[in-house]
Each structure stands twice: as C-alpha cells, then as structure tokens.
Amino acid sequence: MFAFDETAHLGIRAVLTIFAIGAIAMAAPLPGGAGSYHLLLPLGLVSLYAMNRADAVHLYSYFMRGKQLCWRFSGLVALLISLWLIRSKSRAIK
C-alpha cells in the first residue's frame, strides 16, 4: 500500500480490510474466486476508501502482476534448488 501515492495514506487497517475482502471473494462459490476476486478488491478500495475507480483498477492490476512475478521467480528458484539437490545426491551415491 505504501508503494503508491494513491494508497500511501492508508494504514494497516486498510490492508487487513482488503485482505478480508479478498478472502470473502475467494469463498464465493466460483472456481478459485474467478471474477469475484477481480471485482471485489477494486470495488472495496473505491467504496471504503473513496479512491478513484480507475486508480483502484490500476493498482489492482499492478498488485496482481507483481504477485504473479513473485510466484514465477520463486518457482524458478525452487526448480534450481531441486536440480542442485538431485545432482548433489547423485554424486554422493557414486
């Protein structure tokens, strides 16, 4: 929240509230929260914290892309560590 000027004034309560909205959206009877999560998070920023709708959607898209990038990076790191462990175990057996 502190990374963007539009949400820099929001505190930890806002973060926890948005997390709670996300949890409710994921609990909706849709496969993996598809659609409800993408709708409710920007809507929560707009309705609860009086943000501009365009800014809320823009920040949400930055958040989602950043999260996906972190997942991919951590997956790559896990793959490299796994390969290293497999090679070190195969060398120890020989």
Side-chain angles (χ1 to χ4, degrees):
M1 290 284 204
F2 299 122
F4 302 103
D5 293 335
E6 294 86 358
T7 57
H9 65 282
L10 300 176
I12 190 70
R13 282 186 165 174
V15 172
L16 294 175
T17 303
I18 296 300
F19 281 162
I21 290 171
I24 291 168
M26 291 299 286
L30 297 169
S36 61
Y37 189 80
H38 301 83
L39 176 73
L40 287 179
L41 259 73
L43 186 64
L45 287 170
V46 169
S47 62
L48 295 175
Y49 300 106
M51 282 188 68
N52 183 3
R53 181 165 171 75
D55 288 340
V57 171
H58 184 73
L59 290 172
Y60 173 75
S61 66
Y62 270 126
F63 167 72
M64 290 304 288
R65 298 302 178 257
K67 183 175 73 167
Q68 289 172 353
L69 180 66
C70 288
W71 284 349
R72 289 180 180 147
F73 179 73
S74 57
L76 178 65
V77 168
L79 176 67
L80 294 174
I81 290 172
S82 297
L83 290 173
W84 180 76
L85 288 173
I86 290 170
R87 284 192 177 169
S88 65
K89 282 186 179 182
S90 67
R91 288 180 187 161
I93 293 173
K94 291 179 182 182

